[in-house]
Amino acid sequence: MGALKNIALAAGLLAAAGMGETVYFYNRTMKRGNAKTERTTRMSGTDWEKYFPLMEERKGYVLAQPHRDVYITSFDGLKLHATYFPAQTEGAVKAVICFHGYTGEGLSNHIAIADYFLKRGYAMLMPDARAHGGSEGEYIGFGCLDRKDAMGWIQWLVGECGEDVKIMLHGTSMGGATVLMTSGLELPENVRGIVSDCGFTSPKEVFTHVLNHMYHLPAFPAIQGADFLNKKLAGYGMDECNAKYEVRRARVPILFIHGSADTFVPCSMCHEIYDNCASPKRKLIIEGAAHAESYYKDMAVYEKALDEFAGEIM
């Protein structure tokens, strides 16, 4: 009896430790205010300081262009915010919606590439994802909920620019996963193409990678416990929506971009999603680029790929 009692006690202690690990992991990564930009930047392994001068230079030009704050209400009642830049040319019928990454914000994360789009005559919409920036929400959507919000922003842009508007969806990291997950939905004909920059397959798979390869920790029980909590609190499972499955239903062309040196979202995820994609597709791997660094690492190649892709779809 003593041995059985000790085994039961040990099992109870392990279960309690596992629950503590789960709650700590969940609160740290899934809840607004606890998911810190500084920690994400550190984990991404990208040296952003060397790009600050370029960002500051482009920020001056971009913010000098006419723009305004706009809002929609999400499918579950949240007030969502975006920054909207009308096209600089009269009668323009092309627009881009740019979706940012985990712990980012729409305007600040797209200052550099906004220069590219605005100078080419695009109207530009930069939403803050739920639980980020000026958008409401306590729990981060990781693309699974954000794809539904994306549909709302597409509808808003069509209403703003007119029924003839041609829309490109562009996303980076979590935003890349968002646009890939959106590809499996019934998109209006206005959406002509999707660009995913370092998008991941699912929150479950990317966090498993981070725990295993960056922290050298087992994913069990933190991921399984977080999945249970997230279904109860945020309303979706962490593998409920997976980009590699959603693109099997895609109908619009997709351009996949990824850095070969990405340790946060491994380049293998890009290849996996690309191989599953059912729609016309292109792939650009930027050699030596870390997470979300591709545009800055080789801007000429990146912009050339965008030019060619837009030439086919817009």
Side-chain angles (χ1 to χ4, degrees), residues 38-108:
E38 298 79 10
R39 186 167 68 243
T40 305
T41 302
R42 193 166 55 249
M43 289 168 62
S44 74
T46 306
D47 179 12
W48 289 110
E49 287 191 11
K50 62 185 176 184
Y51 301 120
F52 287 166
L54 171 69
M55 294 178 187
E56 283 301 312
E57 176 187 338
R58 292 197 167 187
K59 181 178 180 180
Y61 165 77
V62 170
L63 294 184
Q65 309 311 308
H67 61 280
R68 69 181 192 270
D69 296 319
V70 296
Y71 299 88
I72 62 170
T73 301
S74 71
F75 66 95
D76 53 353
L78 299 177
K79 185 179 182 180
L80 303 178
H81 167 264
T83 306
Y84 176 62
F85 288 77
Q88 298 181 32
T89 55
E90 288 293 329
V93 291
K94 61 181 181 179
V96 62
I97 309 178
C98 291
F99 297 89
H100 65 79
Y102 178 58
T103 71
E105 294 184 11
L107 179 58
S108 63

Side-chain angles (χ1 to χ4, degrees), residues 159-212:
E160 176 69 20
C161 296
E163 294 293 331
D164 294 332
V165 66
K166 301 174 183 178
I167 300 172
M168 177 193 297
L169 305 181
H170 181 287
T172 303
S173 191
M174 186 179 79
T178 296
V179 295
L180 292 174
M181 293 175 184
T182 304
S183 75
L185 302 177
E186 289 293 328
L187 295 170
E189 292 184 1
N190 305 83
V191 178
R192 299 304 181 92
I194 291 172
V195 180
S196 172
D197 185 338
C198 62
F200 53 75
T201 50
S202 75
K204 177 183 178 181
E205 291 183 357
V206 76
F207 279 125
T208 296
H209 167 79
V210 168
L211 287 172
N212 289 342

Side-chain angles (χ1 to χ4, degrees), residues 142-144 147-148 176-187 194 200-202 239-252 254 256 272-273 276-279:
F142 280 104
C144 300
R147 65 178 184 152
K148 298 179 182 180
T178 296
V179 295
L180 292 174
M181 293 175 184
T182 304
S183 75
L185 302 177
E186 289 293 328
L187 295 170
I194 291 172
F200 53 75
T201 50
S202 75
D239 202 33
E240 180 177 307
C241 187
N242 190 311
K244 66 187 174 189
Y245 302 136
E246 295 304 315
V247 296
R248 293 177 182 177
R249 296 195 292 269
R251 294 294 178 266
V252 300
I254 301 178
F256 295 85
E272 187 176 13
I273 303 169
N276 277 276
C277 182
S279 64

Side-chain angles (χ1 to χ4, degrees), residues 106-118:
L107 179 58
S108 63
N109 281 194
H110 294 111
I111 280 292
I113 204 166
D115 181 276
Y116 167 87
F117 284 117
L118 293 176

Side-chain angles (χ1 to χ4, degrees), residues 203-217 219 223 262-266 268-269:
K204 177 183 178 181
E205 291 183 357
V206 76
F207 279 125
T208 296
H209 167 79
V210 168
L211 287 172
N212 289 342
H213 297 279
M214 301 185 73
Y215 288 97
H216 307 291
L217 294 171
I223 297 295
D262 193 335
T263 57
F264 194 37
V265 177
S268 59
M269 286 193 179

Side-chain angles (χ1 to χ4, degrees), residues 126-147:
M126 293 174 274
D128 291 339
R130 59 175 52 221
H132 291 75
S135 290
E136 293 181 343
E138 183 176 1
Y139 299 102
I140 296 171
F142 280 104
C144 300
L145 298 182
D146 303 310
R147 65 178 184 152

